[in-house]
Amino acid sequence: MCNTAIVFVQCNGYSGPETPGWTGLDSTWIPIIPVTAHWEDRLGKDLTGTQFPLALAWAIAIHKSQALILLEAAINLGPTDFQAGLAISHVKSLKDLAFRSHFPWS
């Protein structure tokens, strides 16, 4: 009996490689397989840990974040966005702010 679990994530518009061997599976469903790490503790005991390589994330519109103080933010400004100052004002420290798109300084 196999105790392997697989998580499937659906990404509409996915244009990456096909998932071979998954007959009948829509191409927008991507299998995420667990990753196992092996290491030794200080006493030389072999240890392993298995986890899915996933990170929890969420997105919010800039206007919906008006009352929030954010620990970190990755901002993606589009060509018609003009609220860069608004985004910066919600992060406690500039080192915790990243812009994911280029924008004119003006």
Side-chain angles (χ1 to χ4, degrees):
M1 184 168 146
C2 181
N3 282 338
T4 302
I6 297 175
V7 172
F8 286 92
V9 178
Q10 185 180 24
C11 296
N12 294 330
Y14 175 70
S15 62
E18 293 288 323
T19 52
W22 300 94
T23 56
L25 185 66
D26 187 292
S27 63
T28 62
W29 287 89
I30 303 160
I32 309 294
I33 59 172
V35 175
T36 301
H38 302 274
W39 69 96
E40 256 184 35
D41 68 4
R42 285 182 265 165
L43 302 174
K45 182 178 178 183
D46 289 327
L47 302 170
T48 61
T50 302
Q51 64 184 18
F52 289 99
L54 297 170
L56 181 62
W58 53 279
I60 189 169
I62 194 105
H63 297 293
K64 295 278 186 177
S65 70
Q66 285 184 352
L68 298 178
I69 299 296
L70 306 172
L71 297 176
E72 296 177 329
I75 310 297
N76 188 9
L77 294 173
T80 60
D81 289 322
F82 56 89
Q83 297 94 349
L86 183 62
I88 293 170
S89 68
H90 292 303
V91 181
K92 285 187 171 190
S93 171
L94 287 178
K95 70 178 179 56
D96 298 321
L97 177 67
F99 286 97
R100 298 189 47 87
S101 56
H102 296 287
F103 59 92
W105 288 99
S106 60

